[in-house]
Amino acid sequence: MENTLDRLKKWVAESNNIVFFGGAGVSTESGIPDFRGEQGIYNTLSEYGVSPETILSHTFFENNKEVFFDYCRKHLVFPQAKPNAAHYGLARLEAEGKLKAVITQNIDNLHQKAGSRNVLELHGTLYRNYCTVCGKRFDMDYVLNSKGIPHCDSCGGVVRPDVVLYEESLDMDTMEMAVKYISKADILIIGGTSLAVYPAAGLINYYKGDKLVLINKSSTAMDSRADLVIHMNIGQVFDKILG
Ligand SMILES: [Zn+2]
């Protein structure tokens, strides 16, 4: 493992065109559970009788807004969560001009909290909310502090988080930017994702370099394609290579 970390450390030291692509595993070390994980599914099934994927779908949102917002407030939003070593390490690499973009599937704002500026949020963010009628913007506190279904204080329309629900399409501009950064990257570091969920698997195909790094606690279906595979906690990895 030491040799692998040494190699990554050397690559990172030599590059000024690193792109990071991250999934839920980046945030679990900050205490945010993966809603697709066993515990998340178990909790949701026992409390609501349906899976997290069902609740976080467009159809469910349209038909069961009370339950949707109850689930969001109780199980999806973690205002106390703090960035970990991976978030801070990535922000530092960007500040040093070495990292071009963070592409994330997470909706928790932790990269920005750590100081990252160029963050492409493929699935949107819970920290932006908007009125579905007039488009007025609201912060997360507005939703957290309202009871039941949050309504717009201007027009009374329903306010919803700017996240991509199941059955909804990804923002094409964000996707195009992600493809652009990945296709030009010198090093692509992928962390905290099993690469099973769309669009992660597809995005890798745009990478043309020879330094594809995969950091995940357990092995993934893409391990054989990577130039470097590290099965460790991602925070630990950043501690070792930047500490
Ligand atoms: Zn409105």
Side-chain angles (χ1 to χ4, degrees), residues 61 68-69 72 125-126 128-130 143 159-164:
F61 172 77
F68 175 88
F69 283 105
C72 286
T125 172
L126 289 165
R128 276 195 316 264
N129 295 268
Y130 64 93
V143 174
V159 172
R160 66 162 276 183
D162 195 359
V163 295
V164 181

Side-chain angles (χ1 to χ4, degrees), residues 79-165:
Q80 312 304 331
K82 291 186 176 62
N84 60 57
H87 297 105
Y88 286 119
L90 290 162
R92 184 176 135 192
L93 288 173
E94 183 184 15
E96 290 171 356
K98 300 174 73 60
L99 180 126
K100 298 300 179 205
V102 167
I103 303 163
T104 182
Q105 297 177 285
N106 299 333
I107 54 179
D108 52 36
N109 207 42
L110 287 182
H111 286 293
Q112 289 91 335
K113 267 191 195 165
S116 283
R117 288 162 179 270
N118 195 22
V119 183
L120 304 179
E121 297 168 307
L122 294 180
H123 294 164
T125 172
L126 289 165
Y127 283 71
R128 276 195 316 264
N129 295 268
Y130 64 93
C131 171
T132 51
V133 177
C134 75
K136 185 173 175 182
R137 297 258 168 194
F138 296 91
D139 60 17
M140 195 172 69
D141 285 340
Y142 186 84
V143 174
L144 288 179
N145 295 333
S146 52
K147 292 229 173 347
I149 302 168
H151 286 97
C152 175
D153 58 7
S154 294
C155 78
V158 172
V159 172
R160 66 162 276 183
D162 195 359
V163 295
V164 181
L165 300 175

